[in-house]
């Protein structure tokens, strides 16, 4: 036995043991843990032995196998863009009037996203055109005839806006689902205008649709600080119910209630607030996981909503001259007037920015703000890094925009699978895989005898490698994935059939056992390689063009084909070589 | 054990012309069939709603259909799936939301009757009615009006005042069909005697997108494989492999056409897998042909191909046999689309073997003969070029 053989043998043993090691989290999550704990990584980590791989490397079950809702929401960027065009047109008109460049009216074409400005006095149009194009750089000129100037939104600007609209919708959807309290939710972008949402364990698609399909509601409400001790007194007068974990905190200068859940605060304060007042909560974000709230804090707010997101024209995060992050917001003319009135009356008070009934922030009003634009400074830096500090400003800007520019979201696709159906499919899929594998293993052993058994070892190792590979890539096993698993094993057998048939042929030509095995492998190699590469090509294309279950199928196929190349060429050859070279067998049992 | 005891010497190649004729005829028939009848598109591609329900007592599809009709759902298709004693049914409806052309027109009338409403536009694709009103509207009144037209309302969205003060914009979002199914089947029952097991709901625009992506995936993979074959083998092998692939895809499409099984994303996956399998098989034999061409230098090309096919016949039968064997589990335990997937694969395996022998190889011979004839013509015209016609 030469050195190369031992090296290869060691590799195979290492790969086998490594695969088994990698399947420990999968084994624990699917077999050892209770069903409802299946997706709980913390519990999984706790139960597994310390030498096991991290819990996140486990084979997920697709929603079709564990039950839940898969949704694809389409963001109606077209409507949002139409709204934006109308708003910008109004801004242009205001600008022209404010600058006293002349008097214009605007007419928008929602289909082409065009704005046509018509000047009362054609002589002023030249000056207007120059000024408007220099100021509103997201527009460019389409045509000009006399007193009429037609502008269109710059396509690249429109694209930026479309992307933003989808990001905003995603943010809002994620926050809403967090409010719903679904664990393991997955929200991600799909293509250019769609958002994919996975809700494991949920069963009511209509409720889910309602939850994520509505547009965000942004409000500006005044904080009632007329009695700063309100919450402290409330807590003293009526102690909160046992187990609600409501405590008093004075972070930020005012006593506030703090509780681990939103419901605790809302139900406790219900009917205990003065008329025309309402209690809403702010989410205290988990410093590690950005989309989770560790606790909630209460605010006492005016019930009436003087200003909503409809009046907001824009919001952007900047770095101020003092090198501090801030958010600049601007209002449309009507909003600006209302904002001025509010800030004038409320100097020294706080104004809460509320999105979907969640207080985002409640900055202090330092002075009357006129002119329709305001700055929200982000407080002290505290223990944050500058990036985190700036990140908070950017998130706030995004939230404000999400409320200000409602891009309607519609349902593109919903797939819901009940948990009992999922269990049944796992059982049937598993049975199908075991039966298919068993039949092939049995047949190979009968047909090729010892060589068949060697092929069977390779086949079982192949199955192990696929599962470990899926776990390693944190892939999701779907029902079509199981079909892909079975099919790959069929293709892997083909490689062994090719080799064994070649060996038989070489033996038929009267070659010695050694020569027959070596030549059989050498000659079959390129055929096996070619056939695997072509199959891989179609698998990769399937992966890149497919979504959902089809992608799961492609993933399984790709991992399976790579594993099959390894097992059929290297593994079986090492074993065969051991017998004919190492043990010097004179006959090949094939 | 050995399947083919003695070396076979079947003359496959001499029967290539009738086989080619028959294949062409069958392929054309399938293409015409697809054009005339179309596939039975699943909800993935056609859009619509599918609800899977399981009853806790024996019922027939006919009873389910009658119940749905009594509950006010006239246009549903009810299909029994799984074993007969499982009492599981797929209920399929064309609509995605309760808004369609007919109810949309009624909804428009009802809204306009409220007064001061104009520009009513039903966006059927998204299940939304948009309109502009002179005065701000009360959401409850809008909901009532739209529901009186038989459209379930999920939400009334207030889009605010239109710029320029021309009115207020609203959107009415119609609720989904799944709601109606459960309501219709449970009508008059105190407690539903069924469980809603699965809901698939695909908007028509998404359906179109999914369909286009599926077709593109098929085309891309064929082109990619063709490039690989042309690169690894002689150019004359490429077209044969391609035509064989197309042949197999059409034949498997024929399965979906004739059986009227649902053509959906899984069907596309099956077609792509068949492409991979078919070319896999073709390449194994091409490899052997190339090897034998070097071995039997003097023999005519057609004869070499015949030898290569006969030599690999044992392997061909075995490989397709074991792959079919691995599908048996899926055929027995697979429900719905997984069963269809396994069935389509089975068809693909059979036609894949056939197309390798009778489509890919003959086409390669034909291309070779044409090249030889061209060379002969060149030589006859005095343009002497001493190249072997069969040299690879």
């Amino acid at each position: 036995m030469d050195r190369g053989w031992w090296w290869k043998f060691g590799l195979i043993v290492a790969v086998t043991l490594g695969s088994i090691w990698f399947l420990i989290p999968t084994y624990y999550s699917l077999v050892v843990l209770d069903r409802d704990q299946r997706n709980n990584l913390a519990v999984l980590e706790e139960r597994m032995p310390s030498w096991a791989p991290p819990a996140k490397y486990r084979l997920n079950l697709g929603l079709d196998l564990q039950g839940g809702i898969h949704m694809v929401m389409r963001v109606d960027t077209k409507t949002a863009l139409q709204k934006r065009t109308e708003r910008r047109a109004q801004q242009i008109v205001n600008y022209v009037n404010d600058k006293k460049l002349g008097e214009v009216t605007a007419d928008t074409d929602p289909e082409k996203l065009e704005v046509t400005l018509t000047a009362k006095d054609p002589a002023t149009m030249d000056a207007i055109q120059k000024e408007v194009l220099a100021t509103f750089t997201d527009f460019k000129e389409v045509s000009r005839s006399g007193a009429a100037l037609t502008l269109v939104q710059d396509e690249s600007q429109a694209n930026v806006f479309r992307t933003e609209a989808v990001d905003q919708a995603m943010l809002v959807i994620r926050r809403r689902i967090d409010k719903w309290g679904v664990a393991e939710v997955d929200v991600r972008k799909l293509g250019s205008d769609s958002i994919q949402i996975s809700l494991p364990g949920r069963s009511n698609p209509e409720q889910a649709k309602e939850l994520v399909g509505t547009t965000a509601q942004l409000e500006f409400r005044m904080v009632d600080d007329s009695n700063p001790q309100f919450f402290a007194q409330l807590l003293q007068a009526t102690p909160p119910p046992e187990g609600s974990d409501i405590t008093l905190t004075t972070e930020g200068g005012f006593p506030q209630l703090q509780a681990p859940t939103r419901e605790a605060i809302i139900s406790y304060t219900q009917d205990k607030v003065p008329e025309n007042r309402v209690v809403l909560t702010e989410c205290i974000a988990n410093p590690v996981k950005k989309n989770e709230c560790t606790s909630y804090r209460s605010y006492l707010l005016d019930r009436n909503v003087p200003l909503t997101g409809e009046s907001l024209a824009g919001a952007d995060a900047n770095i101020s001259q003092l090198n501090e992050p801030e958010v600049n917001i601007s209002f449309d003319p009507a909003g600006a007037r209302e904002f001025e009135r509010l800030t004038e009356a409320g100097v020294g008070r706080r104004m809460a920015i509320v999105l979907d009934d969640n207080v985002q922030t409640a900055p202090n009003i330092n002075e009357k703000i006129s002119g329709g634009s305001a700055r929200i400074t982000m407080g002290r830096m505290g223990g944050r890094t500058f990036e985190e500090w700036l990140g908070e400003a950017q998130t706030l800007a995004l939230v404000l925009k999400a409320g200000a520019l409602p891009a309607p979201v519609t349902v593109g696709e919903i797939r819901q699978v009940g948990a009992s159906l999922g269990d049944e499919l796992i059982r049937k899929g598993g049975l199908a895989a075991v039966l298919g594998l068993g039949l092939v293993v049995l047949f190979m052993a009968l047909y090729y005898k010892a060589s068949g058994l060697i092929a069977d070892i390779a086949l079982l190792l192949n199955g192990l490698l696929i599962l470990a590979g899926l776990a390693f890539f944190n892939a999701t096993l779907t029902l079509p994935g199981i079909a892909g698993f079975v099919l790959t094993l069929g293709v892997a057998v083909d490689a062994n059939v090719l080799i064994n048939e070649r060996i038989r042929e070489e033996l038929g030509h009267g070659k010695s056992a050694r020569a027959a095995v070596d030549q059989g492998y050498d000659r079959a190699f390129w055929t096996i390689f070619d056939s695997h590469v072509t199959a891989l090509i179609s698998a990769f294309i399937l992966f890149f063009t497919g979504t959902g279950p089809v992608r799961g199928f492609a993933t399984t196929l790709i991992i399976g084909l790579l594993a099959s190349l390894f097992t059929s060429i290297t593994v079986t050859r090492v074993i065969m070589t051991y017998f004919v070279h190492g043990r010097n067998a004179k006959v090949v049992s094939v | 054990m050995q399947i083919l005891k003695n070396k076979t010497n079947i003359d496959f190649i001499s029967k290539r012309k009738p086989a080619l004729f028959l294949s062409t005829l069958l392929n054309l028939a399938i293409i015409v069939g697809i054009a005339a009848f179309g596939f039975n598109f699943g909800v993935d591609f056609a859009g619509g709603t599918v609800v899977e329900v399981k009853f806790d007592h024996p019922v027939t599809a006919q009873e389910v259909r009658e119940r749905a009709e009594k509950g006010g759902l006239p246009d549903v298709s009810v299909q029994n799936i799984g074993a007969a004693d499982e009492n599981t049914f797929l209920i399929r409806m064309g609509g995605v939301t309760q808004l369609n052309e007919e109810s949309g027109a009624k909804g428009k009338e009802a809204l306009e009757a409220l007064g001061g409403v104009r520009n009513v536009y039903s966006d059927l694709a998204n299940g939304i009615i948009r309109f502009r009103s002179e005065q701000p509207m009360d959401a409850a009144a809008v909901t009532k009006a739209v529901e009186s037209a038989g459209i379930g309302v999920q939400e009334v969205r207030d889009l605010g005042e239109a710029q320029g003060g021309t009115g207020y914009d609203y959107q009415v979002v119609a609720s989904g069909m799944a709601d109606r199914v459960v309501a219709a089947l449970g009508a008059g029952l105190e407690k539903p005697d069924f469980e809603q097991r699965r809901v698939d709901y695909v908007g028509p625009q998404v359906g179109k997108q999914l369909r286009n992506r599926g077709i593109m995936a098929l085309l891309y993979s064929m082109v990619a494989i063709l490039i690989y074959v042309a690169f690894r083998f002689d150019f004359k092998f490429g077209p044969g492999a391609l035509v064989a692939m197309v042949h197999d895809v059409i034949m498997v499409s024929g399965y979906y056409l004739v059986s009227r099984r649902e053509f959906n994303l899984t069907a596309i996956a099956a077609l792509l897998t068949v492409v991979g399998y078919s070319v896999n098989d073709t390449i194994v034999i091409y490899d052997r042909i190339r090897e034998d061409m070097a071995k039997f230098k003097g023999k005519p090309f057609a004869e070499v191909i015949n030898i290569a096919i006969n030599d690999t016949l044992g392997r061909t039968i075995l490989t397709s046999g074991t792959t079919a064997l691995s599908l048996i589990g899926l055929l027995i335990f697979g429900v719905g689309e997984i069963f269809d997937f396994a069935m389509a694969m089975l068809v693909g395996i059979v036609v894949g073997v056939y197309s390798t022998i009778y489509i890919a190889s003959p086409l390669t011979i034909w291309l070779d003969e044409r090249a030889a004839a061209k060379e002969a013509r060149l030589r006859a015209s005095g343009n002497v070029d001493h190249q072997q016609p069969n040299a690879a």
Side-chain angles (χ1 to χ4, degrees):
Chain A
M1 227 37 105
D2 60 1
R3 259 225 206 122
W5 186 88
W6 282 106
W7 190 85
K8 279 184 198 154
F9 183 70
L11 178 78
I12 293 167
V13 172
V15 166
T16 311
L17 292 178
S19 309
I20 293 173
W21 180 69
F22 239 102
L23 284 171
I24 293 173
T26 305
Y27 173 75
Y28 270 82
S29 84
L30 295 184
V31 183
V32 179
L33 289 189
D34 288 337
R35 185 208 167 92
D36 49 336
Q37 297 286 328
R38 205 180 262 163
N39 292 323
N40 193 332
L41 287 185
V43 173
L44 186 57
E45 195 77 69
E46 215 172 89
R47 292 284 299 274
M48 283 191 309
S50 57
W51 44 268
K56 70 168 183 166
Y57 292 116
R58 76 197 196 289
L59 187 53
N60 290 308
L61 288 184
L63 288 181
D64 54 346
L65 292 181
Q66 65 166 306
I69 302 173
H70 161 97
M71 324 172 67
V72 176
M73 309 293 295
R74 290 165 61 84
V75 182
D76 186 357
T77 52
K78 200 176 162 196
T79 304
L81 210 54
Q82 285 172 3
K83 276 280 190 187
R84 179 192 147 93
T85 310
E86 286 185 354
R87 205 167 40 235
R88 292 294 277 168
Q90 194 58 44
Q91 284 171 8
I92 293 175
V93 170
N94 291 345
Y95 179 83
V96 171
N97 292 344
D98 285 352
K99 285 247 167 181
K100 311 242 182 312
L101 296 168
E103 215 173 307
V104 289
T105 51
D107 194 25
T108 52
D109 178 343
E111 269 308 305
K112 291 189 196 152
L113 303 175
E114 282 177 358
V115 177
T116 303
L117 297 173
T118 316
K120 219 172 196 179
D121 176 8
T124 58
M125 200 62 218
D126 284 332
I128 292 172
Q129 177 178 0
K130 197 167 153 244
E131 229 358 72
V132 165
L133 281 174
T135 312
F136 294 84
T137 48
D138 53 337
F139 280 90
K140 56 182 190 203
E141 186 187 336
V142 178
S143 64
R144 162 86 195 270
S145 73
L149 170 68
T150 303
L151 302 169
V152 71
Q153 289 221 19
D154 190 53
E155 195 46 39
S156 68
Q157 289 282 335
N159 277 336
V160 169
F161 179 77
R162 282 191 192 102
T163 316
E164 253 181 28
V166 177
D167 288 345
Q168 286 157 14
M170 227 166 93
L171 187 99
V172 172
I173 286 173
R174 194 173 281 151
R175 278 174 188 246
R176 289 215 176 131
I177 293 174
D178 284 346
K179 212 163 79 180
W180 207 19
V182 181
E184 284 286 310
V185 44
D186 181 35
V187 180
R188 64 176 70 172
K189 215 164 160 174
L190 187 73
S192 62
D193 63 350
S194 299
I195 298 165
Q196 178 183 309
I197 306 156
S198 301
L199 303 166
R202 287 280 149 174
S203 58
N204 187 343
E206 296 296 324
Q207 195 187 354
K209 195 164 76 177
E210 210 175 297
L211 185 77
V212 300
T214 44
T215 42
Q217 193 61 49
L218 180 73
E219 297 158 350
F220 296 86
R221 291 172 188 249
M222 297 307 291
V223 180
D224 179 14
D225 289 330
S226 56
N227 176 10
Q229 297 303 315
F230 174 79
F231 286 118
Q233 287 164 0
L234 182 69
L235 206 62
Q236 223 160 28
T238 29
E242 283 285 314
S244 60
D245 282 338
I246 294 178
T247 52
L248 203 65
T249 168
T250 42
E251 217 166 301
F254 297 92
Q256 288 172 301
L257 300 178
Q258 185 158 3
T261 66
R262 196 174 173 275
E263 288 69 31
I265 293 177
I266 301 294
S267 66
Y268 169 62
T269 54
Q270 207 164 21
D271 306 325
K272 295 189 188 72
V273 292
E275 217 178 310
N276 287 327
R277 297 288 180 269
V278 62
V279 173
L280 292 179
T281 60
E282 180 186 7
C283 154
I284 310 301
N286 185 329
V288 187
K289 276 185 148 178
K290 276 279 163 318
N291 293 314
E292 276 180 18
C293 305
T294 44
S295 59
Y296 295 84
R297 244 180 255 155
S298 64
Y299 281 85
L300 184 65
L301 306 168
D302 285 1
R303 188 173 282 278
N304 82 320
V305 182
L307 201 57
T308 68
E310 287 292 319
S311 309
L312 199 71
D316 295 288
N318 297 90
I319 295 171
S320 74
Q321 284 158 346
L322 296 169
N323 205 28
E324 287 170 356
E326 59 180 27
V327 177
N328 285 301
I329 55 176
S330 56
F331 292 94
D332 63 17
R337 279 194 297 277
E338 181 63 26
F339 193 64
E340 184 176 342
R341 194 188 62 74
L342 272 177
T343 52
E344 186 172 16
V347 171
R349 289 180 69 186
R350 290 180 292 166
M351 180 191 265
I353 298 171
V354 183
L355 183 77
D356 282 340
D357 286 348
N358 282 309
V359 177
Q360 299 298 322
T361 179
N364 204 50
I365 300 170
N366 296 321
E367 55 187 5
K368 170 184 142 182
I369 301 167
S370 53
S373 62
R375 248 186 1 249
I376 303 171
T377 48
M378 299 308 292
R380 272 169 303 153
M381 194 165 162
R384 298 170 287 193
T385 64
F386 186 76
E387 281 69 35
E388 281 167 358
W389 203 20
L390 181 63
E392 270 172 44
Q394 282 160 344
T395 310
L396 180 62
L398 207 58
V399 164
L400 289 169
K401 279 192 220 172
L405 317 165
V409 176
T410 46
V411 179
E413 196 180 336
I414 292 185
R415 290 165 198 275
Q416 176 256 325
V417 173
S420 66
L421 179 63
D423 283 350
E424 193 182 312
L425 291 178
I426 294 183
R427 199 171 48 81
K428 282 188 172 171
L431 266 175
V434 168
L435 184 68
L437 186 63
L439 282 173
V440 173
V441 164
L442 191 71
F443 175 79
M444 289 296 279
L446 284 177
Y447 191 77
Y448 285 122
K449 289 168 250 149
S451 302
L453 282 174
I454 294 173
D456 284 344
I457 292 172
L459 203 59
L460 293 177
L461 181 60
N462 197 355
L464 188 72
L465 278 175
I466 295 177
L467 292 178
L470 287 173
F472 178 77
F473 289 110
N474 204 2
T476 304
L477 187 68
T478 56
L479 196 57
I482 293 180
F485 183 82
V486 171
L487 183 74
T488 318
L489 295 181
V491 175
V493 168
D494 176 43
N496 285 112
V497 169
L498 276 169
I499 293 165
N500 287 344
E501 286 296 307
R502 275 293 180 154
I503 294 175
R504 273 189 180 177
E505 239 177 88
E506 298 300 329
L507 287 174
H509 291 153
K511 293 232 170 78
S512 74
R514 274 185 194 195
V517 166
D518 287 349
Q519 290 216 351
Y521 272 95
D522 288 342
R523 291 201 153 173
F525 175 79
W526 282 111
T527 312
I528 294 171
F529 184 80
D530 281 336
S531 64
H532 276 69
V533 168
T534 43
L536 271 173
I537 290 175
S538 56
F540 269 108
I541 284 166
L542 206 53
F543 180 82
F544 286 116
T545 51
T547 54
V550 174
R551 213 168 185 167
F553 172 77
T555 313
T556 316
L557 209 58
I558 290 168
I559 296 174
L561 286 167
L562 293 176
S564 158
L565 262 180
F566 173 70
T567 55
S568 56
I569 293 173
T570 310
V571 176
T572 60
R573 186 162 195 177
V574 162
I575 302 174
M576 280 285 217
T577 310
Y578 171 76
F579 282 112
V580 297
H581 286 259
R583 304 288 300 264
N584 221 350
K586 287 284 175 283
V587 287
V588 188
S589 165
V590 50
Chain B
M1 211 200 311
Q2 204 163 343
I3 283 182
L4 301 168
K5 270 273 182 284
N6 304 310
K7 219 171 182 75
T8 53
N9 192 12
I10 306 166
D11 189 7
F12 288 107
I13 291 307
S14 69
K15 292 171 197 79
R16 67 181 192 262
K17 275 173 186 152
L20 215 54
F21 176 73
L22 216 70
S23 298
T24 313
L25 210 65
L26 211 55
N27 271 293
L28 281 177
I30 291 171
I31 292 172
V32 169
I34 292 172
F37 302 105
F39 288 115
N40 175 18
F41 277 127
V43 60
D44 286 348
F45 293 157
T49 307
V50 170
V51 182
E52 185 179 325
V53 289
K54 186 183 166 92
F55 287 86
D56 56 12
H57 59 88
V59 276
T60 62
Q62 186 54 35
E63 282 165 11
V64 175
R65 195 173 297 117
E66 277 164 15
R67 245 166 91 168
E69 273 169 19
K70 231 176 14 197
L73 284 176
D75 303 317
V76 294
S77 94
V78 177
Q79 184 193 341
N80 198 339
I81 58 162
D85 59 342
E86 284 181 49
N87 300 311
T88 309
F89 300 88
L90 277 187
I91 299 172
R92 189 169 357 154
M93 283 146 297
V96 170
T97 64
Q98 300 181 24
L99 183 67
N100 55 36
E101 231 160 271
E102 192 189 336
S103 67
K106 273 194 209 156
K108 183 176 176 175
E109 261 172 49
L111 280 170
E112 278 168 348
L114 290 173
V117 172
R118 58 207 162 80
N119 298 353
V120 185
Y121 165 65
S122 298
D123 180 353
L124 298 183
N126 287 312
I128 291 175
I129 306 175
R130 300 163 202 266
F131 66 92
R132 188 166 277 188
S133 156
E134 278 161 21
Q135 283 90 36
M137 304 276 285
D138 176 31
V142 173
T143 305
K144 213 176 141 214
V146 176
E147 278 179 348
S148 73
I151 305 166
V153 174
Q154 190 197 318
E155 189 199 358
V156 177
R157 290 178 183 157
D158 183 348
L159 295 188
E161 191 176 355
Q163 293 291 337
T166 47
Y168 299 82
D169 287 333
Y170 292 91
Q171 291 186 344
V172 181
V173 183
S175 50
M177 287 303 263
D179 268 359
R180 265 187 90 173
V181 172
V182 174
L185 290 182
L189 294 175
E190 227 166 76
K191 200 171 130 266
D193 55 351
F194 58 89
E195 176 198 359
Q196 174 185 321
R197 304 228 293 176
R198 184 165 71 99
V199 174
D200 278 356
Y201 163 117
V202 177
Q205 278 172 349
V206 173
K208 215 179 197 174
Q209 223 172 330
L210 290 174
R211 193 165 59 201
N212 289 344
R213 283 178 76 157
I215 293 166
M216 286 325 279
L218 257 179
L219 289 180
Y220 286 149
S221 65
M222 284 197 196
V223 170
I225 289 169
L226 182 68
I227 292 171
Y228 181 78
V229 171
F231 176 72
R232 282 280 293 138
F233 296 84
D234 196 78
F235 176 73
K236 69 183 166 201
F237 286 103
L242 180 73
V243 174
M245 261 191 290
V246 174
H247 167 267
D248 295 350
V249 167
I250 293 176
M251 292 296 267
V252 177
S253 304
Y255 161 72
Y256 281 100
L257 177 75
V258 173
S259 69
R260 300 315 286 163
R261 306 290 288 199
E262 228 173 69
F263 193 83
N264 52 21
L265 280 177
T266 314
I268 292 279
L271 287 181
L272 269 162
T273 317
V274 166
V275 165
Y277 188 87
S278 155
V279 80
N280 191 347
D281 201 59
T282 307
I283 275 177
V284 169
I285 293 185
Y286 273 3
D287 257 340
R288 188 51 93 96
I289 292 173
R290 195 166 52 173
E291 192 186 318
D292 283 355
M293 260 161 48
K295 211 153 105 193
F296 310 106
K297 267 256 164 64
K299 285 200 177 155
F301 193 50
E303 212 170 300
V304 173
I305 287 185
N306 214 28
I307 294 172
I309 293 175
N310 272 297
D311 280 355
T312 50
L313 195 61
R315 162 331 303 182
T316 308
I317 295 171
L318 261 176
T319 300
S320 28
T322 49
T323 313
L325 214 54
S326 67
L327 290 172
I328 284 183
L330 292 177
L331 283 173
I332 296 176
F333 295 112
V335 280
E337 45 192 70
I338 296 301
F339 174 85
D340 289 338
F341 178 86
M343 205 61 199
M345 276 304 301
L346 204 61
V347 175
I349 290 168
V350 174
V351 297
V353 170
Y354 165 83
S355 72
T356 303
I357 298 173
Y358 282 109
I359 309 280
S361 305
L363 212 78
T364 314
I365 297 172
W366 184 70
L367 281 174
D368 185 72
E369 278 170 357
R370 250 177 54 129
K374 193 176 166 199
E375 192 146 328
R377 267 204 313 279
L378 282 175
R379 202 170 301 167
S381 66
N383 197 347
V384 184
D385 185 347
H386 293 285
Q387 220 181 351
Q388 284 288 317
N390 285 331

